[in-house]
Amino acid sequence: MTSIYNFKRIAPVPESTDFLDIVLSKTQRKTPTVIHPGYKITRIRQFYMRKVKFTQETFDEKLRQILEEFPVLDNVHPFYADLMNVLYDKDHYKLALGQINTAKHLIDAVGKDYLRLLKFGDSLYRCKQLKRAALGRMATIMKRQKDSLSYLEQVRQHLARLPSIDPNTRTLIVCGYPNVGKSSFMNKVTRADVDVQPYAFTTKSLFVGHMDYKYLRWQVIDTPGILDHPLEERNTIEMQSITALAHLRAAVLFFVDLSEQCGYSIQDQMSLFASIKPLFANKPTLLVISKTDVCTLDAVRPEERQLVESACDSNVEMSQLSSYLDTGVIETRNLACDKLLLQRVEMKLKGNKVNSVLNKLNVAQPGRRDTVERPACIPTAVLERRSRQDAAMADGDDRPVLERDLEATNGGAGVYNIDLKKRYLLASDEWRHDVIPEIMNGKNVADFIDPDIEEKLAELEREEERLAAEGLYDSAEESEDEEERRIRDVARRIRQRKQVIANESRVKDVNRATLTNKQKAAASAPEDFVNHLQQLGLDPEAAASTAQRIGRKRGRSESRDPAVLLARSSSLAARAVSTQRDRSTMGLKNARQKTVSDKKKLVSQRQMNLMARAGESDRKIGMKMPKHLVTGKRSIGTNDRR
């Protein structure tokens, strides 16, 4: 069981209508939405079963989350159990969670029943109606939980505003009548900022502040004011204080206002102390006299003083403070913390765990190894300082002035600046605060710190002059050796060769078609090709112009030899003639194949007609046809086609 309960992690509880929208929209998004009557009935059943199952699981998940996040009163610390009983009514809280749990079981039962019915659905319409009925019954169950969900959401919001109180840590509880100075004390000793007003019941709930004492973390709880009347008549605000006093292991600080500015007499305050004193059993208790700046214990009447002093015994100590003047606040805090620490140590020593811890500890006491005396070695400077301190204390001074005292008297932190020069070790103490100049008589003071600076500077200048005379700083170009020149020459020839290869590859036409020997011969003889073009009725000059235009498109130079252009045009024309010839040859071949195919079809049709006639005549005379003629599986030979 954890000691700190973080109620802020509880998720918001939606209303019943919002709950339904969340679950049904998630079902619509996470499951398939398209089904057709033509599908198999098994697929249709699976489609609607999946929707019902997913909706039931989503309801179960959401409701289980609510049941798990809200605290169970039987499993939490008694302080939180009683506090929730005071704030929300334990019976009502348990009833709401029980109804949510019952709704979860009912929805699970509805889902199982309709899944069993969907397995026997015989059509899409019937499966759809079963799905609608299942989701409708689940929605009806959730709508009935409207009041329970609204109540749990209000409880969640109030739990999230409760302070995080650790029931097992070191705690100080401040209690008493309203307006007696409890919140002012808490603001002084902790970092809390509790509202302080000059009227009663300013604090209406528990407030928690934290502080550090002896390197330990402490929590201080400011409780609402308590009135002196029976327990049954106390309201919710007062019962929060009673719950904290009853269940938390802490030191109790009961505040009493002797000035009666709170509106209640001293007799009433001491009567309240006597009535709730049974709650202080086994707890360190302090009777704190507050507002001593207005009225002290010596200023009250003797019978009232006797009444206050009679409340103190072996378990109750008295302390006085004034939050307005800041007197006695820290002393009261330290006294309460020390009493609580002492009690916690005593309780641990009485337990069973202390033996297992003490068995692991061993305190070694060193013994003398010989008779030689070895006194402590104290430095002379420390002894002199001690003697000066003793002399100052003898003169009436309690202790020497420290840097902390100087800081406090000279403006405090952020204003006082420590003097770092007052402990300089110089030939004369008067030189400690002298300002060291940077320039004196036109010279840099830092240059004279080193007595040998001039000799070192002269030696450095002579070395620089020697290096300059040797030519170290000359910017002459470095001479190349024979091997380097050879490498550069080889690299230059490689680059030139690469450029030549690239130019040759650009000149070649990588996309031209392969020509036959006859076409190559025609292309190599321009005069014969011109005659050939004239015989075909083509213009040779048009072919030459076409070749020039193609060359310009490819980035070729227009200033070429006419013979080259004519050869180029002859090559293109030969390629065109070859392509046309190939097309004509392919056309003749396709025509022959079509003719043969038509002939085959005609022969097959005639053969089938003959077989049909022969079969009909055979039926008339009672003869059977051969099996291969009936099935048509035997191929027709060459003689048959003839």
Side-chain angles (χ1 to χ4, degrees):
M1 182 175 62
T2 58
S3 58
I4 298 179
Y5 304 93
N6 189 4
F7 299 126
K8 296 179 177 60
R9 294 184 297 180
I10 302 177
V13 180
E15 297 182 356
S16 58
T17 55
D18 297 338
F19 204 104
L20 290 176
D21 293 341
I22 292 170
V23 174
L24 295 181
S25 63
K26 185 176 181 180
T27 302
Q28 186 70 9
R29 287 183 287 106
K30 297 292 186 179
T31 57
T33 57
V34 179
I35 192 68
H36 297 290
Y39 290 167
K40 291 183 179 181
I41 189 62
T42 55
R43 183 174 178 181
I44 296 173
R45 292 171 185 166
Q46 189 65 27
F47 175 83
Y48 288 107
M49 289 172 64
R50 181 176 179 182
K51 282 187 173 295
V52 174
K53 183 66 175 176
F54 186 85
T55 306
Q56 177 257 323
E57 290 178 351
T58 307
F59 273 117
D60 185 89
E61 176 187 355
K62 298 291 184 182
L63 296 176
R64 187 187 301 110
Q65 181 182 3
I66 294 175
L67 295 173
E68 290 178 354
E69 289 185 346
F70 276 87
V72 181
L73 298 183
D74 297 336
N75 297 337
V76 298
H77 193 274
F79 165 71
Y80 277 111
D82 282 0
L83 184 62
M84 294 179 67
N85 183 29
V86 169
L87 296 175
Y88 321 119
D89 188 5
K90 178 173 62 176
D91 297 334
H92 194 180
Y93 178 77
K94 287 186 175 181
L95 183 61
L97 290 180
Q99 290 177 349
I100 296 298
N101 190 27
T102 303
K104 183 176 76 71
H105 290 305
L106 289 176
I107 290 176
D108 293 344
V110 169
K112 292 179 182 179
D113 293 342
Y114 278 89
L115 285 176
R116 192 179 302 111
L117 292 175
L118 279 169
K119 292 180 181 179
F120 300 98
D122 54 358
S123 64
L124 185 143
Y125 177 76
R126 183 162 297 180
C127 292
K128 182 177 181 180
Q129 294 304 315
L130 288 173
K131 185 266 296 184
R132 291 184 61 186
L135 268 59
R137 288 189 61 183
M138 294 179 187
T140 303
I141 293 172
M142 284 308 304
K143 287 180 180 178
R144 293 174 182 171
Q145 309 304 319
K146 176 182 178 181
D147 297 336
S148 298
L149 294 175
S150 301
Y151 171 76
L152 289 176
E153 173 61 16
Q154 294 178 3
V155 171
R156 184 200 67 83
Q157 294 177 1
H158 198 281
L159 281 174
R161 293 192 292 266
L162 286 180
S164 297
I165 299 176
D166 187 355
N168 299 321
T169 192
R170 295 159 293 276
T171 308
L172 302 181
I173 298 179
V174 183
C175 63
Y177 259 94
N179 201 24
V180 294
K182 302 186 297 297
S183 299
S184 300
F185 173 77
M186 182 172 178
N187 291 339
K188 291 292 183 180
V189 299
T190 67
R191 304 178 186 90
D193 187 14
V194 185
D195 188 20
V196 178
Q197 297 295 338
Y199 50 82
F201 287 104
T202 306
T203 304
K204 297 181 180 180
S205 62
L206 299 177
F207 283 89
V208 179
H210 296 85
M211 67 176 185
D212 295 328
Y213 177 69
K214 289 188 176 180
Y215 304 101
L216 297 174
R217 196 69 169 172
W218 296 71
Q219 66 180 4
V220 183
I221 300 178
D222 183 16
T223 62
I226 309 173
L227 299 180
D228 186 18
H229 47 233
L231 183 65
E232 295 79 9
E233 298 179 4
R234 290 194 171 101
N235 56 20
T236 303
I237 298 176
E238 296 175 90
M239 288 303 299
Q240 297 181 49
S241 302
I242 299 300
T243 303
L245 291 171
H247 294 288
L248 295 180
R249 293 192 309 167
V252 179
L253 284 75
F254 187 87
F255 275 64
V256 177
D257 182 12
L258 298 181
S259 65
E260 299 182 357
Q261 292 181 352
C262 61
Y264 303 96
S265 63
I266 299 176
Q267 290 79 6
D268 293 340
Q269 297 181 51
M270 299 312 300
S271 176
L272 173 64
F273 178 79
S275 64
I276 64 174
K277 190 174 181 181
L279 298 175
F280 305 158
N282 300 324
K283 294 184 179 69
T285 306
L286 287 183
L287 184 62
V288 181
I289 308 300
S290 65
K291 301 182 183 180
T292 55
D293 57 308
V294 179
C295 180
T296 61
L297 186 61
D298 299 334
V300 299
R301 294 192 297 270
E303 58 273 12
E304 293 177 347
R305 179 174 181 178
Q306 180 65 27
L307 183 63
V308 173
E309 292 178 349
S310 63
C312 299
D313 53 17
S314 59
N315 296 327
V316 180
E317 293 188 20
M318 184 185 300
S319 178
Q320 301 185 31
L321 61 87
S322 173
S323 300
Y324 180 75
L325 299 177
D326 287 342
T327 57
V329 176
I330 301 302
E331 291 77 3
T332 302
R333 182 204 67 175
N334 296 345
L335 179 59
C337 293
D338 292 338
K339 289 175 66 66
L340 182 60
L341 284 177
L342 181 61
Q343 187 204 35
R344 290 171 67 93
V345 171
E346 291 177 354
M347 291 180 63
K348 290 181 179 179
L349 290 176
K350 294 178 182 179
N352 297 327
K353 294 183 179 179
V354 66
N355 296 327
S356 60
V357 176
L358 292 177
N359 292 334
K360 301 176 183 178
L361 301 178
N362 181 26
V363 180
Q365 296 291 340
R368 294 177 61 90
R369 60 180 179 179
D370 51 26
T371 57
V372 178
E373 294 292 336
R374 295 179 177 85
C377 181
I378 302 176
T380 307
V382 175
L383 295 175
E384 294 177 356
R385 187 187 308 169
R386 286 183 179 179
S387 62
R388 290 196 299 268
Q389 293 178 0
D390 295 340
M393 294 178 66
D395 295 340
D397 298 336
D398 294 338
R399 57 180 177 82
V401 179
L402 304 178
E403 288 292 336
R404 182 173 57 187
D405 302 328
L406 296 176
E407 178 184 2
T409 55
N410 292 290
V415 179
Y416 173 72
N417 190 13
I418 186 172
D419 187 7
L420 299 177
K421 297 181 179 180
K422 64 182 180 180
R423 300 189 184 277
Y424 280 2
L425 301 178
L426 302 177
S428 175
D429 294 340
E430 299 177 355
W431 297 351
R432 289 177 177 174
H433 295 85
D434 291 347
V435 179
I436 302 177
E438 296 182 0
I439 304 297
M440 180 179 290
N441 299 328
K443 296 182 180 180
N444 192 349
V445 177
D447 294 340
F448 297 92
I449 294 176
D450 189 355
D452 301 332
I453 186 68
E454 294 182 355
E455 297 180 3
K456 293 179 180 178
L457 180 60
E459 183 180 357
L460 182 61
E461 291 178 353
R462 289 193 298 270
E463 184 179 0
E464 289 294 327
E465 292 175 357
R466 179 177 57 80
L467 294 176
E470 293 177 355
L472 179 64
Y473 302 116
D474 294 343
S475 59
E477 296 183 357
E478 298 180 358
S479 59
E480 297 182 355
D481 55 357
E482 187 68 23
E483 181 67 18
E484 202 168 323
R485 286 197 297 271
R486 185 184 66 79
I487 293 174
R488 291 181 180 274
D489 186 40
V490 172
R492 180 179 54 79
R493 290 202 300 270
I494 291 174
R495 286 194 295 270
Q496 292 177 355
R497 181 58 183 166
K498 285 184 178 181
Q499 188 66 28
V500 171
I501 294 173
N503 294 336
E504 291 178 354
S505 65
R506 293 192 189 99
V507 173
K508 293 181 180 180
D509 186 14
V510 296
N511 294 325
R512 74 185 168 190
T514 305
L515 302 178
T516 61
N517 294 333
K518 186 175 181 180
Q519 292 171 348
K520 291 180 180 179
S524 61
E527 296 80 8
D528 297 341
F529 188 73
V530 170
N531 297 333
H532 179 65
L533 291 178
Q534 292 176 354
Q535 292 176 2
L536 295 176
L538 300 176
D539 188 6
E541 296 179 359
S545 63
T546 302
Q548 291 179 357
R549 186 170 64 255
I550 294 174
R552 285 196 298 272
K553 289 182 179 180
R554 296 184 179 181
R556 305 290 178 86
S557 176
E558 296 181 1
S559 60
R560 281 191 173 185
D561 190 4
V564 177
L565 296 176
L566 189 59
R568 182 69 177 169
S569 62
S570 64
S571 174
L572 294 174
R575 191 183 307 164
V577 171
S578 175
T579 304
Q580 186 176 3
R581 185 178 302 156
D582 294 340
R583 290 177 179 175
S584 61
T585 304
M586 184 65 69
L588 291 175
K589 186 175 181 181
N590 293 338
R592 290 195 192 98
Q593 292 179 355
K594 185 176 182 182
T595 304
V596 173
S597 176
D598 293 341
K599 287 182 179 181
K600 287 182 179 181
K601 291 180 180 179
L602 183 60
V603 171
S604 300
Q605 187 65 30
R606 288 177 180 177
Q607 188 68 26
M608 292 297 292
N609 293 337
L610 290 175
M611 287 189 295
R613 292 175 185 175
E616 189 173 350
S617 61
D618 290 340
R619 284 196 299 272
K620 290 180 180 180
I621 62 176
M623 294 178 63
K624 287 185 178 180
M625 290 182 64
K627 186 176 182 181
H628 68 276
L629 294 178
V630 176
T631 58
K633 292 183 178 180
R634 183 178 176 182
S635 60
I636 301 175
T638 307
N639 297 332
D640 297 333
R641 284 198 298 272
R642 290 178 182 175

